Amino acid sequence: MNSLPRIPGWEKRTALSRKLQELSLTKKLFLIYSVFALYFLFYHEAHLPLLWMIGLALIGYLVSGILFWAIVFAFRKLETKIVLPAIFAEVGIERPTIKLVPWAEASFFAFSILACLLTGFFENRSGILFFLVYAVGVLSTRFIENKTYYKIGLLGMVVLAAGLVSFKSLQKAEIFVAYSMFKPDFEQKDLSRWNYNEENRTLHNEDLKLSILLPDEFYFHNPQNLNLEDKTGIGQIAGIISSSDSDPNRYPVIRIFFIPFRFDDESELLSQFKKFLDLQLQRGDIQELNELEREIFEDRFFGTFWTFYDVLRPRYAKTGMFFLAKHKQPYSLVFIIDESLIKGRRHEESVEKILTSVKIEE
């Protein structure tokens, strides 16, 4: 044992060990949390280039770290000491010397509810039901004055809320990164000037000289109303056609992308689309990606499609891109299609109707 101090770096390691032992329980917990959090974040973002991976991991760690210490601060404010008159002790009357702080209790519930609302946890009825049942259980322990279980229940609720906020912030950052990676390098133009004729259900964009017929129960989503995730693709988004007036991603969905110059063939566009699919695959949004043969539709749409399992909307589906050729306008249009996988059909009937109706003025 006497020879151990002779090992290079032994004294530094011993000093570090002593410093760690001197840390408070809260700081030790944060240190352990940091190790696991950073490992998970780096692993989760490993599909991105190194600089993006480090940046996103640090953003996620920063947000979760701030929330960790905010919870610690709030938890310490949950109770306060009561100074009892000396006469109580003299006559042998016992009273609690610590009481809960109402504003601190209310802040725990307010933060948890707000976090669930902002992160979309309440968009699902099961999320609302879970929170209500859990909150009722926590309040029950409050009314029966079981302070230990009440504090544990409050802590569990706020930890859930903090986890949702951390995940949502990381998700938003990932969306921004994906958009930045595929953002067009050309100067974008205003493609939001669409006219809709309700009588014959025809969309028309004068800037693109483009008209499209919408089948019944299909809706158009103007690019000015889309978020960054919906705008990510090949080129500049010109609009989305989907089967929902509120959700631009409900199947079947056709995303229209504009590129201000012509392509002789679709090979370069296809290469970009493959990178886009690889990013979704590595993020875990889709699984079991299988490429199909090159496809031609009506001798003017050229492209390639894939089958896959949609993790976000659990189902087997089909995705791909069609490049619109054989027109005289000085730009290119790409139609990215997501639809349900139907046995015996290449595409859903509504998708074929929309593609057939596409017209460009010469």
Side-chain angles (χ1 to χ4, degrees), residues 188-194 203 205 208 210 212 220-224 226 230-231 234-241 254-259 332-334:
Q188 299 188 40
K189 60 185 296 186
D190 185 7
L191 299 177
S192 63
R193 294 191 288 266
W194 287 85
L203 282 167
N205 188 306
L208 297 176
L210 173 68
I212 304 174
F220 179 75
H221 301 269
N222 198 294
Q224 66 184 4
L226 300 174
D230 295 328
K231 291 180 180 179
I234 303 173
Q236 179 187 349
I237 188 72
I240 296 178
I241 299 173
I254 299 178
R255 297 176 177 85
I256 307 169
F257 286 91
F258 163 83
I259 302 171
S332 299
L333 288 179
V334 179

Side-chain angles (χ1 to χ4, degrees), residues 5 49 51 53 64-65 83 97 127 157 159 202 269 281 287 296 313 344:
L51 290 178
M53 179 183 70
S64 60
V83 179
T97 57
M157 186 168 60
V159 166
T202 300
L269 299 172
L281 186 65
Q287 297 175 352
I296 301 174
R313 305 167 192 81

Side-chain angles (χ1 to χ4, degrees), residues 140-153:
S140 298
T141 60
R142 173 72 167 89
F143 293 136
I144 63 176
E145 298 185 355
N146 191 324
K147 192 179 294 185
T148 300
Y149 285 106
Y150 178 61
K151 290 166 66 177
I152 292 173

Side-chain angles (χ1 to χ4, degrees), residues 9-122:
W10 176 261
E11 291 184 0
K12 290 183 179 180
R13 286 195 291 269
T14 303
L16 179 61
S17 178
R18 284 199 300 267
K19 288 182 179 180
L20 291 176
Q21 291 175 3
E22 292 171 0
L23 293 176
S24 64
L25 177 61
T26 303
K27 291 180 179 179
K28 288 178 180 177
L29 288 175
F30 181 70
L31 190 62
I32 295 172
Y33 162 79
S34 297
V35 172
F36 285 98
L38 286 172
Y39 173 79
F40 168 79
L41 289 168
F42 279 116
Y43 176 79
H44 187 266
E45 307 301 336
H47 59 278
L48 295 172
L50 181 61
L51 290 178
W52 286 117
M53 179 183 70
I54 294 174
L56 281 181
L58 291 179
I59 289 174
Y61 177 70
L62 177 64
V63 173
S64 60
I66 291 173
L67 290 173
F68 179 93
W69 288 110
I71 292 172
V72 170
F73 173 81
F75 206 70
R76 288 172 177 170
K77 297 294 182 180
L78 189 59
E79 292 181 315
T80 186
K81 291 184 178 180
I82 304 173
V83 179
L84 298 176
I87 188 64
F88 281 30
E90 292 177 2
V91 298
I93 299 176
E94 294 185 1
R95 292 288 179 87
T97 57
I98 297 177
K99 70 173 183 177
L100 294 167
V101 180
W103 71 262
E105 296 179 81
S107 66
F108 270 70
F109 281 96
F111 170 72
S112 300
I113 293 172
L114 184 62
C116 290
L117 281 172
L118 295 179
T119 57
F121 187 74
F122 286 161

